[in-house]
Amino acid sequence: MIDSYGRDINYLRISVTDLCNLKCTYCMSEKGIRKKNHDDILSLEQIACIAEAAVKLGVTKIRLTGGEPLVRRGILDLVQDIASLKAKGLKDLGLTTNGVLLKNYASELKKRGLDRVNISIDTMDGAKYKEITRGGKVEDVLAGIQAAKEAKLFPLKLNVVLIGGFNDDEIEDFVNLTADSEIDVRFIELMPIGEAGDWDREHFLASNEILKRVPRLIPLPFKGHGTVARMYKLPNSKGKVGIISPLSSHFCNYCNRIRITPDGKLKPCLHSNIELDIRNYYGDLERFLSDGILGKPHKHCIQSSEYEPIRRNMHEIGG
Ligand code: SAM
Ligand code: SF4
């Protein structure tokens, strides 16, 4: 469906839970979160119906996220239900995960119709991983990456949030992962959302830091609509490197996505506090989605004085 500014909105991100088995310092408060009442969270059936209505409106790409999607009970059945929409026009079903549980899920997810996964890993150092995630084990994620490769959940993308003073010394190590392996590494600028909203400026690095640290990266042609990453590669590498710069060079003109939160709110733009509540639509899911698409702002204004910080943390929105 075309929005009010001529963009084809064909990508839906659904956050299936706000719960998580990690507590990354930039995403979740140390106290963790209070579990919501069952009735305040979309049921798996409601999520599948939203996905179906979205496909009717022209959505061809759906990504499940969270919180941590693999902690939601019934996730495999949900993947299967949504994958069945491929008969009705869905082309691509992906999932973003911290990878901790992926070793146990990868092959079954593939069997149920998942096409691919993005795995978040901000450092490959065990002690630093434990620190940033407040207790996670990096070996679990590495095992998850291996399982995803074996299950052929391709293209396999690793998400690395760039944090000044924390992982900028590992930029080259991450880039080198793409040399011999069909893995894409995507560096994402840390965004001042939720917990990270009052972090010191020194932690927010512009993504051109990657090109300063690894000047051998070769730019690849920009694909335009729906592309949020600028792509590069090392000479003769198997994988690619993506640089996602929502702050230093926003990609609003190419944005093709809307988001659904676990509590049934539609967010037309990640960087706006505008939300539509499914409860106001009494089962008319197509109107819910089309109102959200038509209400999508022209662009965000993070760097202007009018910017209102995003109140929710990313685990509630689905990054
Ligand atoms: N739990 C899953 C994971 O970590 O991949 C899925 C949800 S998580 C909210 C999705 C992505 O958002 C992760 O790659 C995470 O690193 C990223 N993220 C969370 N807070 C962020 C922030 N303030 N700035 C940039 N990326 C953020
Ligand atoms: Fe959990 Fe993902 Fe947020 Fe980390 S970034 S706390 S893994 S939702």
Side-chain angles (χ1 to χ4, degrees), residues 18-28 66-68 97-98 120 122 129 132-133 314-316:
D18 57 351
L19 301 177
C20 188
N21 47 357
L22 297 177
K23 281 193 222 167
C24 301
T25 51
Y26 52 80
C27 177
M28 201 177 284
E68 173 48 41
T97 170
N98 60 33
S120 304
D122 300 331
Y129 188 82
I132 196 83
T133 59
M314 287 285 263
H315 69 88
E316 296 173 276

Side-chain angles (χ1 to χ4, degrees), residues 178-189:
T178 65
D180 304 317
S181 193
E182 272 173 66
I183 284 184
D184 288 358
V185 169
R186 305 177 344 139
F187 294 99
I188 305 169
E189 283 178 350

Side-chain angles (χ1 to χ4, degrees), residues 3-4 7-8 29 32 106 111 116 123 128 132 136 144 157 168 180 189 230 266 284 319:
D3 78 359
S4 314
R7 295 168 296 197
D8 184 10
S29 89
K111 278 189 208 142
R116 57 208 184 105
T123 169
K128 282 164 74 181
I132 196 83
K157 297 183 182 173
D168 42 334
D180 304 317
E189 283 178 350
R230 298 287 166 144
L266 187 156
D284 189 349

Side-chain angles (χ1 to χ4, degrees), residues 2 4 8 19 34 40 64 72 99 116 123 127 135 146 175 178 189 204 225 241-242 258 264 286:
I2 306 296
S4 314
D8 184 10
L19 301 177
R34 194 155 5 108
D40 294 334
L64 302 178
R72 175 90 198 235
R116 57 208 184 105
T123 169
Q146 184 56 31
V175 168
T178 65
E189 283 178 350
F204 294 85
H225 184 70
V241 173
I258 53 171
E286 285 184 43

Side-chain angles (χ1 to χ4, degrees), residues 76-178:
L76 292 171
D77 292 338
L78 179 65
V79 165
Q80 185 167 331
D81 282 350
I82 298 181
S84 71
L85 296 172
K86 288 183 188 168
K88 297 185 177 169
L90 180 68
K91 294 198 178 108
D92 184 85
L93 177 59
L95 177 136
T96 300
T97 170
N98 60 33
V100 169
L101 299 173
L102 194 55
K103 183 171 178 284
N104 306 329
Y105 278 86
S107 79
E108 194 58 29
L109 284 166
K110 182 74 184 184
K111 278 189 208 142
R112 303 285 190 115
L114 189 77
D115 295 304
R116 57 208 184 105
V117 282
N118 289 5
I119 303 173
S120 304
I121 176 167
D122 300 331
T123 169
M124 290 183 276
D125 176 284
K128 282 164 74 181
Y129 188 82
K130 191 169 180 186
E131 177 195 334
I132 196 83
T133 59
R134 297 197 183 94
K137 291 191 193 139
V138 78
E139 308 85 72
D140 294 339
V141 188
L142 298 174
I145 295 171
Q146 184 56 31
K149 275 192 201 167
E150 285 163 15
K152 301 203 172 8
L153 288 163
F154 291 135
L156 182 55
K157 297 183 182 173
L158 303 188
N159 286 349
V160 181
V161 176
L162 191 58
I163 306 169
F166 175 73
N167 60 4
D168 42 334
D169 57 335
E170 291 183 69
I171 290 174
E172 189 146 17
D173 298 338
F174 274 113
V175 168
N176 286 338
L177 290 180
T178 65

